[in-house]
Amino acid sequence: MTAHPTDLAKQAANAAPATLTLAVEDMHCGGCLRSVERAAMRVPGVDSARASLAAKRLTVTYDPAQAGEVALIEALGRVGFTASLMDSAKQDRGDGRQNYLLRRVAVAGFAAMNIMLLSVAVWSGESGDMDPALAALFRWLSALIALPTVVYAGAPFFSSAYAALKGRRLNMDVPISLAIVLATGMSLYQTMLNTEQVYFDAAVTLLFFLLVGRYLDETLRVRARGEAQNLLSLQNGIATVIDPDGMRRQVAANALRPGDRLLVAAGERVAADGRVVSGRGQIDQSLITGETAPASVETGTQIYAGTLNLTRSLEMDVTAADDATLLAEISRLMLAAEQGKARYRRLADRAAQIYAPAVHGLGLATFIGWLAFGATWQTALTYAIAVLIITCPCALALAVPAVQIAAASRLFKRGIMVKAPDGLERIAEIDTVVFDKTGTLTLGKPQLIESECISDDVLASAAGLAAASRHPYSRALVAVAERRLGAVQPTSGIEETPGEGLSCGDERLGSAEWCGVETGDARGSRVWYRRGKEAPVCFRFADGLRPDAAETVAELKRRGFGVALLSGDRQAVVAQVAAEAGIDTWHAEMKPAGKIAWLEERAKEGRKVLMAGDGLNDAPALAAAHASISPASAADISQRAADFVFQGAKLGPVAEAIDTGRRAHRMAFQNFGVAAVYNAICVPLAMAGYVTPLIAAIVMSSSSILVTLNAARLAGGGRR
Amino acid sequence: MTALAWLIPVALGLGALGLAAFLWALKTGQFEDLEGASYRALEDEPPGDETGRN
């Protein structure tokens, strides 16, 4: 990316089309796909727009002289999609590697099938009347197909094995490469001598099955990585800058500098840290503090990037932007905590450490043993190759990824996304579940309570007013009215006075003061409605438990998990929620560092903790826990830190994730068991020289299929 | 036996054709959004209308 300035100028003059990628949230169906593409195409200067449902991204080519990311993000915003620019450095989902493997799977598959066809002819004509010249021709044809295939399709294994050997380590790819190279080289030599011990089929079939395993593993990684990048880019919004001369212009949030003056419209997220210089209103700070009640701000108040401006537009001076914001700082803290998790060694890697030396040892022992007993070096080598192929670590190369793919797709159908590939292994080991309160155990959104005391008539009128506002209380009110009365149409002619309330004719909805109600109770969680001189009606709001919270906690306890509640909220509130959910162990008024300390204490006691949390304040704890899960409503950063993200209002997915993790773990061990039994039977036979490499390859393949079918059982069961 | 002289090349050629078709499909990005493609098939408008500018 170091184009010379004159080159750039030349490009601009020629109006060379530029390409950018946007992450688009909430794109779930074919209809969304079309709306997104159409909205982007309507922006002047856009040449083409192509959305991907799988990646939740939109790729646009446009004329940089006419269009830009700001215009595109705004156009998508108008049709109801939140889009954000992908950093060009971060937009690689790594599907290049996926395609690299898929190409090799295709080539190896083609070669394996054709060589197998030729081999079947040769082997079946072996004892009969097949013309030896024809058999030789078939062997040479096999060689012709096999050699380029091994060079091309074997590259991923060879390069990995070479890198491992260079670092003086052993990995699974070393025995794999050795087996493939030896089998191919040996077969070529035998073909030249025109003998029967030719095993190109074994080498290429082996390669094909191993590549399928690699490809499945990579698919899961790509999906997880893509989702993580989309979440990360959500911080890259656009912001309105007011220049000193009063002109307003739109810039990308990561181009803001301290000292810029920003206009934050109602309903917009604040793009940088700063101080309010004019205007007063309310902002939703739940992303930073986890507190759901909106906070009032006025001139001089410090506000943070990522908070949501609820009521009226504010002007602010930027004090810190881009990488210097509190949001970015917390993100860095979290990354540091994540380093600890990197120490976790995956099951397959741990197995490889024991397996690889054993395989080499057995292969070498077979070769030397047969030489010692007076066999020719060709025979000894053939038997050694059979041992290497028989012991080929398919259970490790294929079984574990197959189980993980099956488990991930099972969870995906139930609204749970697996973000860390090794998360499934870690969640299987946990014995304690720790919940955060706001947004995790509770819904994190104010709910209208005691709504049954309010008459339909009053509710309908109040909801008609509330429909015009985006205040959380208004939304909760409309939600209840829609549940009870059907669709709510906003009353026409509504005026909103930000921070106070709504009015329409003689109807008023808002604070006690706004409705002229005398009340001694100044607590903020209530809204009043008054029509003319009629008696005012009070709507009360509270943050409710998730509908199945108590049930899920009881279920977890029944299965013998320790359950605890950690919250930053006040003692009384936490005690009440703990009692409602049936949690005996709870701690209130905890800071993020306190949560980490608590988790570390548990870790010292030898307990493995699953942390379920959502707020930004939970992010470091999520990263520090043995495994973690976040609701989809959580702060972006928490979702990034978590191993799992679940959707919907229910808490049941937490139990589901643990359950599936444990089943996947059991199944991985079953698969290791299958592999162990098969090795125990076949390895002695191979060492004794009863197994030719062809039979070895067929037996090995069938054990792979067995193991994959076993894993597929996990993916069963429909959508819930 | 002479039939083999052309049967084998034809068999291999057909296989290679399938392989080439798959690699071409992969290269032109036809597997990039399998989920979205299932919805695009239901679109009534011809692909030429993609511009949405009419």
Side-chain angles (χ1 to χ4, degrees):
Chain A
M1 283 297 150
T2 49
H4 196 267
T6 53
D7 290 346
L8 284 176
K10 217 182 285 167
Q11 266 179 25
N14 295 340
T19 307
L20 63 78
T21 307
L22 298 169
V24 186
E25 268 186 298
D26 321 316
M27 190 161 60
H28 299 300
C29 65
C32 309
L33 190 85
R34 292 302 293 177
S35 325
V36 165
E37 286 183 353
R38 280 162 174 274
M41 288 304 302
R42 275 196 288 273
V43 175
V46 170
D47 286 333
S48 75
R50 181 99 182 159
S52 162
L53 261 190
K56 305 249 184 296
R57 288 183 192 176
L58 173 73
T59 307
V60 180
T61 44
Y62 62 102
D63 174 4
Q66 288 186 61
E69 70 258 27
V70 173
L72 279 163
I73 290 171
E74 279 184 339
L76 292 180
R78 278 197 295 275
V79 290
F81 293 95
T82 313
S84 47
L85 183 66
M86 304 286 310
D87 232 325
S88 55
K90 292 177 198 147
Q91 76 186 33
D92 180 23
R93 286 172 77 212
D95 42 7
R97 171 80 184 167
Q98 201 182 3
N99 286 344
Y100 169 88
L101 286 172
L102 191 54
R103 278 199 299 275
R104 280 155 181 79
V105 169
V107 169
F110 162 82
M113 280 187 287
N114 282 294
I115 294 175
M116 207 47 106
L117 277 176
L118 294 170
S119 296
V120 167
V122 174
W123 289 112
S124 48
E126 174 86 329
S127 54
D129 53 357
M130 193 174 189
D131 184 357
L134 191 63
L137 171 72
F138 276 20
R139 289 195 194 103
W140 276 110
L141 269 175
S142 300
L144 204 65
I145 303 170
L147 288 178
T149 305
V150 166
V151 171
Y152 179 71
F157 302 101
F158 302 152
S159 55
S160 158
Y162 176 70
L165 288 177
K166 219 169 116 187
R168 291 171 192 283
R169 286 176 299 115
L170 274 183
N171 65 6
M172 270 306 166
D173 293 331
V174 178
I176 291 172
S177 303
L178 202 62
I180 293 170
V181 169
L182 281 178
T184 313
M186 176 77 182
S187 299
L188 190 63
Y189 176 73
Q190 301 284 8
T191 306
M192 287 171 184
L193 292 185
N194 205 7
T195 58
E196 285 144 19
Q197 305 297 320
V198 174
Y199 301 110
F200 291 117
D201 40 13
V204 177
T205 313
L206 178 69
L207 202 54
F208 175 63
F209 276 94
L210 291 171
L211 280 167
V212 170
R214 284 294 149 92
Y215 173 71
L216 290 180
D217 196 28
E218 190 65 25
T219 308
L220 191 64
R221 275 165 212 262
V222 165
R223 195 158 77 192
R225 194 161 41 213
E227 294 284 353
Q229 289 164 345
N230 283 7
L231 289 174
L232 201 64
S233 75
L234 289 181
Q235 295 165 32
N236 304 340
I238 49 172
T240 312
V241 170
I242 307 176
D243 286 334
D245 57 3
M247 290 290 288
R248 290 176 182 184
R249 65 192 163 89
Q250 307 261 292
V251 300
N254 55 9
L256 290 173
R257 291 289 163 263
D260 284 350
R261 166 121 354 148
L262 287 188
L263 179 73
V264 187
E268 233 177 55
R269 279 202 187 274
V270 178
D273 290 1
R275 265 174 216 294
V276 177
V277 286
S278 90
R280 49 188 300 182
Q282 293 187 306
I283 60 168
D284 175 359
Q285 290 195 319
S286 57
L287 187 72
I288 304 281
T289 60
E291 184 60 51
T292 42
S296 297
V297 294
E298 54 187 27
T299 307
T301 312
Q302 173 82 44
I303 56 178
Y304 296 101
T307 55
L308 183 66
N309 184 11
L310 290 171
T311 51
R312 67 171 90 168
S313 40
L314 300 168
E315 279 182 32
M316 61 178 282
D317 274 342
V318 175
T319 53
D322 200 22
D323 279 349
T325 58
L326 183 65
L327 199 63
E329 180 59 34
I330 292 180
S331 161
R332 273 194 293 274
L333 275 177
M334 196 195 69
L335 280 179
E338 253 175 6
Q339 302 294 318
K341 237 186 224 172
R343 284 197 300 270
Y344 181 84
R345 285 172 59 220
R346 297 181 63 175
L347 200 56
D349 294 339
R350 277 181 288 171
Q353 291 294 325
I354 310 166
Y355 206 84
V359 168
H360 286 130
L362 284 175
L364 191 66
T366 309
F367 182 66
I368 293 174
W370 278 96
L371 276 186
F373 279 102
T376 61
W377 71 268
Q378 290 100 324
T379 318
L381 193 56
T382 309
Y383 294 155
I385 290 169
V387 169
L388 281 181
I389 291 179
I390 280 275
T391 54
C392 139
C394 269
L396 302 159
L398 187 61
V400 173
V403 166
Q404 287 187 344
I405 290 269
S409 86
R410 176 196 177 85
L411 289 174
F412 195 74
K413 280 186 204 150
R414 287 161 172 72
I416 307 163
M417 203 182 74
V418 181
K419 281 194 47 239
D422 54 349
L424 278 165
E425 289 176 20
R426 282 188 269 107
I427 203 170
E429 296 174 352
I430 60 123
D431 52 16
T432 307
V433 184
V434 176
F435 290 101
D436 170 49
K437 185 180 75 70
T438 315
T440 308
L441 219 46
T442 70
L443 284 163
K445 275 188 222 148
Q447 307 284 315
L448 183 60
I449 51 171
E450 296 162 11
S451 64
E452 59 279 359
C453 310
I454 295 157
S455 71
D456 286 357
D457 172 45
V458 170
L459 185 63
S461 320
L465 280 175
S469 158
R470 53 175 128 233
H471 196 281
Y473 291 164
S474 301
R475 289 190 168 174
L477 214 168
V478 172
V480 169
E482 278 178 342
R483 260 206 306 282
R484 207 200 287 177
L485 310 167
V488 172
Q489 291 300 322
T491 319
S492 57
I494 297 172
E495 280 176 34
E496 182 168 13
T497 309
E500 292 177 48
L502 303 141
S503 67
C504 174
D506 62 348
E507 289 179 274
R508 282 183 166 224
L509 180 73
S511 63
E513 209 175 52
W514 174 250
C515 296
V517 181
E518 298 286 331
T519 170
D521 191 355
R523 277 194 301 151
S525 57
R526 49 187 61 189
V527 163
W528 296 82
Y529 170 76
R530 188 168 205 172
R531 181 159 46 196
K533 295 287 169 205
E534 287 172 32
V537 180
C538 176
F539 293 94
R540 294 178 53 206
F541 296 89
D543 186 10
L545 278 185
R546 287 180 183 265
D548 61 343
E551 211 178 293
T552 306
V553 168
E555 170 69 18
L556 289 173
K557 276 187 180 168
R558 197 179 58 74
R559 287 204 231 146
F561 291 105
V563 180
L565 171 63
L566 299 186
S567 175
D569 215 340
R570 288 162 296 145
Q571 294 275 355
V573 187
V574 179
Q576 197 202 339
V577 169
E580 276 176 40
I583 298 176
D584 309 318
T585 318
W586 54 269
H587 298 271
E589 290 171 31
M590 282 191 118
K591 298 231 158 23
K595 287 188 180 184
I596 293 187
W598 192 90
L599 289 175
E600 275 169 0
E601 251 170 63
R602 296 290 88 74
K604 266 190 211 128
E605 288 170 12
R607 306 199 71 118
K608 305 230 156 115
V609 177
L610 169 72
M611 175 82 201
D614 73 314
L616 191 56
N617 46 359
D618 294 321
L622 286 168
H626 192 64
S628 50
I629 186 164
S630 265
S633 54
D636 305 337
I637 251 165
S638 305
Q639 294 195 8
R640 224 178 99 204
D643 300 319
F644 299 87
V645 175
F646 68 94
Q647 286 170 333
K650 291 197 170 177
L651 200 60
V654 175
E656 174 77 37
I658 298 174
D659 206 36
T660 307
R662 295 201 151 186
R663 284 187 60 188
H665 197 65
R666 262 202 313 277
M667 223 157 244
F669 270 94
Q670 274 173 17
N671 283 347
F672 283 141
V674 169
V677 167
Y678 144 87
N679 277 334
I681 297 170
C682 296
V683 170
L685 288 177
M687 290 182 73
Y690 287 112
V691 183
T692 62
L694 175 70
I695 296 173
I698 291 171
V699 173
M700 186 273 322
S701 306
S702 51
S703 82
S704 303
I705 291 167
L706 192 66
V707 139
T708 312
L709 287 179
N710 187 31
R713 290 195 299 142
L714 197 59
R719 208 174 275 265
R720 257 191 211 164
Chain B
M1 278 300 168
T2 46
L4 283 177
W6 58 272
L7 270 177
I8 290 172
V10 165
L12 286 178
L14 284 175
L17 201 68
L19 178 66
F22 176 78
L23 292 180
W24 167 79
L26 185 65
K27 198 177 173 193
T28 50
Q30 300 190 31
F31 296 101
E32 262 163 31
D33 184 20
L34 293 175
E35 217 177 312
S38 64
Y39 287 103
R40 283 180 208 273
L42 300 176
E43 269 303 321
D44 283 333
E45 291 160 52
D49 195 32
E50 202 90 14
T51 56
R53 275 183 193 155
N54 39 7

